[in-house]
Amino acid sequence: MQAKKLEQSIVQVEAMAGLGHFQAVITSPAPGFYFLKNVEGLPKLLLADIMEFFPKYSISPIKEQVEAWLKGGEYRILTTVTIPGEDITSATTNLVGPLILDTQSNRIRQFIIHEGEYCLQQQLFPTGGGIDASTQP
Amino acid sequence: MLVLSRKAGESLRIGDDVSVTVIQTKGDTVSLGINAPKGIPILREELYQAIVQANISATNTQVDALLKILSETQNSTGKTGC
């Protein structure tokens, strides 16, 4: 499924553990990916639209928190992507601390799923052996 | 850091909306009950610190180089490499 490309937008990042609050520009350089950059330069983050990679991913343990925070009804679930070196196939993503993008109010906030079995460094791309990404968490 | 002593069954209040109750103590483990609005996350400290480290690691990713690769991949194949 091709993700709809976002126009370049200014978003308010409300809370990211260790990074705090900042205003950022968000763009979509490729389907399924977003680039978040603080308007003052740093930090910069590569994000994944996690439903593109793991359609069964669920934020149900934090649903009430998210709904209490949302101003509109529509949102996207993004996760940070970490890549050692430049080998994108070794990318991992943090499924424990998803970022919720409120597309109506252009705000992003990190929520933490403290129950369940999601992991902090989930392999983003299937490795050899025919792992079906749609059956991943 | 404010240090208060409470026994099992006793509580303390943080602001108008948050209360913490000592449910029971067993050996060196304390069970706490926390009442707070839904919008306030409550986490074990070690989990919070793990998220902090994960976020910091993500900012260390060489994003600019990867954006170039993603753009080149998209231009050449029309889709990502996943």
Side-chain angles (χ1 to χ4, degrees):
Chain A
M1 180 168 71
Q2 294 288 314
K4 177 184 167 185
K5 270 197 171 187
L6 282 180
E7 298 291 330
Q8 180 168 303
S9 303
I10 301 284
V11 294
Q12 187 63 40
V13 180
E14 291 193 349
M16 276 195 77
L19 303 179
H21 312 264
F22 53 93
Q23 202 173 37
V25 177
I26 187 166
T27 55
S28 182
F33 288 100
Y34 293 92
F35 177 47
L36 187 75
K37 180 182 169 186
N38 187 333
V39 294
E40 295 180 5
L42 294 173
K44 303 181 205 178
L45 291 160
L46 186 64
L47 307 176
D49 185 334
I50 201 57
M51 304 311 289
E52 295 286 317
F53 294 91
F54 302 114
K56 293 186 178 181
Y57 182 72
S58 171
I59 59 166
S60 55
I62 55 167
K63 193 171 179 225
E64 285 187 350
Q65 283 180 48
V66 172
E67 287 175 350
W69 173 77
L70 286 171
K71 288 189 179 172
E74 294 194 4
Y75 60 92
R76 292 189 192 216
I77 307 172
L78 308 177
T79 54
T80 58
V81 176
T82 300
I83 305 174
E86 291 184 10
D87 178 12
I88 196 166
T89 61
S90 65
T92 60
T93 192
N94 176 0
L95 296 184
V96 176
L99 306 177
I100 305 297
L101 168 61
D102 183 336
T103 53
Q104 182 166 324
S105 61
N106 278 356
R107 299 176 303 146
I108 288 181
R109 182 174 173 168
Q110 185 171 42
F111 291 83
I112 299 174
I113 301 176
H114 54 82
E115 53 187 280
E117 295 184 1
Y118 289 144
C119 58
L120 280 165
Q121 293 179 310
Q122 174 68 47
Q123 204 75 23
L124 192 58
F125 300 113
T127 53
I131 295 172
D132 180 356
S134 68
T135 64
Q136 294 293 314
Chain B
M1 179 185 290
L2 175 64
V3 178
L4 297 172
S5 298
R6 303 269 70 191
K7 297 189 180 90
E10 294 180 340
S11 300
L12 54 89
R13 183 164 288 273
I14 302 171
D16 291 328
D17 301 326
V18 179
S19 67
V20 181
T21 301
V22 179
I23 303 298
Q24 70 170 9
T25 58
K26 198 172 181 182
D28 58 1
T29 300
V30 178
S31 295
L32 301 171
I34 304 157
N35 277 318
K38 287 186 175 59
I40 296 181
I42 301 168
L43 304 167
R44 291 181 173 84
E45 176 68 18
E46 55 269 26
L47 174 57
Y48 178 79
Q49 291 301 331
I51 299 290
V52 167
Q53 287 309 309
N55 285 346
I56 291 170
S57 293
T59 63
N60 290 334
T61 291
Q62 296 299 315
V63 180
D64 293 330
L66 288 162
L67 288 180
K68 187 168 176 256
I69 293 169
L70 282 173
S71 297
E72 288 169 358
T73 302
Q74 186 194 7
N75 289 339
S76 64
T77 66
K79 59 186 178 183
T80 60
C82 59

